[in-house]
Amino acid sequence: MRIHELGHLVLYVRDLERSRRFYRDVLGWDEVRGEVPLPVPAAAFSSGRTHHELLLIEVGSAAAAMPPGPRLGLYHFGLKVGDSDDELREVVQHLTEHGVDIKGASDHTITHSLYIADPDGHEIELYVDVIPTEEWLADPSLVFAPIRPLRL
């Protein structure tokens, strides 16, 4: 067996409409709409790469919050937003205009990354590739280079 690609993520959310607006209106992800009613309140999103890359399932306001600090489970997921620091600067401006707090910024050598959280606290890495694939494939140690502060 061999994994070909990461297909999709499914996140539980408290308020589907609030999360739908965040992923659609703030992050600009295209929502996949269908006429078939789902058994639970849910919304799907796709960049066009596959049928859906993100599925949100509403679990309601009584759901327990994610505990802070180290824990088992999802730490964050990454969304590629371009291939240059200029594009990442545009993302910073867009997030600021939408009142989204940037929680961190890192230079990972092969990527430059911003970190934000969705309305339920799921951490999201918004990144640009700055090293061509051929380079890190030829030198995989670049993937594990020390993390430095990002200076945009």
Side-chain angles (χ1 to χ4, degrees), residues 49-123:
R49 183 187 58 80
T50 186
H51 42 80
H52 75 286
E53 291 144 315
L54 176 67
L55 181 67
L56 305 175
I57 298 174
E58 185 176 74
V59 293
S61 60
M66 288 186 290
R71 63 188 178 278
L72 295 178
L74 180 71
Y75 172 30
H76 72 260
F77 61 94
L79 300 173
K80 184 175 178 179
V81 295
D83 293 299
S84 72
D85 282 344
D86 286 340
E87 289 170 293
L88 201 56
R89 284 184 201 95
E90 290 173 11
V91 168
V92 169
Q93 182 171 343
H94 177 81
L95 294 172
T96 301
E97 289 168 359
H98 284 85
V100 177
D101 184 36
I102 297 172
K103 303 204 176 290
S106 297
D107 177 344
H108 294 279
T109 302
I110 61 171
T111 64
H112 289 170
S113 305
L114 303 172
Y115 296 88
I116 64 171
D118 78 359
D120 289 294
H122 299 107
E123 188 172 311

Side-chain angles (χ1 to χ4, degrees), residues 135-146:
E135 285 187 39
W136 63 260
L137 282 174
D139 183 4
S141 67
L142 292 171
V143 174
F144 300 102

